[in-house]
Amino acid sequence: MKKHVAPRALLAALTVSLLVVACSSAAAPSTPPSENPPSASPGGSGGESDPGAGSGDPIGTDPGDPGNGIVDPDQPQLVVPKPGQLNVHPVAIAEMEVRVEGRHAVLNARWWSGVEPCYVLDSVAWKRDGKTITISVREGSGAGDVICIDIAMYKATVIDLGELDPGDYTVVGGDGNAAPITFTID
């Protein structure tokens, strides 16, 4: 009896090739460090993120890129919205931090997720009800059939809250375990 080894070898080679492609695309940074992060539309009532508008970096520099090309796994990787993803859903915000400069406030939202193209930031939104600001971060997946690897990533994005009237404000995450934070505009 003669065994057919060629189909098994072909299947093994195809599987290895798919894994290499999936891993190489997942290892690529989602945004170049020189790209400006998004800002939400200012105006007090909230808005959707605008990927074309930059507001600077999230509470300092990109925490995920120390400048040497090596991503620190203990720091979040800065990501910007890429609207038009499939299966968009809210993600659980783990932490929030606000930077205030005069009457202008910028929020840094952080969460745990997976790697691109399987977990891609689609949009961020915020709404203000009096002195309470509710933040929502939404992810989806890229188009096409891809093999997704199960690697957790800590991500961050910037939400520009714009110019606010003087007073104390509370920021809450629409989803997740992030503790509400309070900040003051003088």
Side-chain angles (χ1 to χ4, degrees):
M1 174 180 264
K2 187 174 180 184
K3 290 187 177 182
H4 294 281
V5 178
R8 288 186 200 163
L10 180 61
L11 181 60
L14 181 59
T15 302
V16 170
S17 297
L18 288 173
L19 287 173
V20 168
V21 169
C23 290
S24 66
S25 68
S30 62
T31 58
S34 63
E35 192 172 311
N36 286 331
S39 66
S41 344
S45 63
E48 286 290 320
S49 65
D50 178 2
S55 64
D57 49 30
I59 318 300
T61 60
D62 178 358
D65 182 9
N68 59 6
I70 299 172
V71 175
D72 183 349
D74 295 327
Q75 294 295 319
Q77 180 181 2
L78 180 64
V79 293
V80 296
K82 296 177 182 172
Q85 301 304 312
L86 303 174
N87 305 315
V88 175
H89 58 277
V91 297
I93 299 171
E95 294 180 296
M96 297 182 290
E97 183 178 1
V98 173
R99 179 180 64 203
V100 175
E101 293 177 8
R103 291 179 51 192
H104 193 102
V106 176
L107 175 83
N108 180 311
R110 300 177 188 127
W111 68 98
W112 285 98
S113 183
V115 296
E116 288 190 15
C118 301
Y119 302 91
V120 181
L121 177 61
D122 180 83
S123 57
V124 296
W126 61 276
K127 69 177 182 174
R128 191 174 111 198
D129 184 15
K131 299 286 184 172
T132 301
I133 300 170
T134 304
I135 304 298
S136 177
V137 176
R138 292 173 265 181
E139 282 190 338
S141 57
D145 292 330
V146 295
I147 296 174
C148 297
I149 56 176
D150 287 333
I151 295 178
M153 271 184 78
Y154 197 39
K155 297 179 180 180
T157 196
V158 176
I159 304 167
D160 185 353
L161 301 176
E163 298 286 323
L164 300 170
D165 294 330
D168 293 329
Y169 292 85
T170 301
V171 178
V172 296
D175 296 289
N177 301 332
I181 57 174
T182 302
F183 66 96
T184 302
I185 300 289
D186 294 323

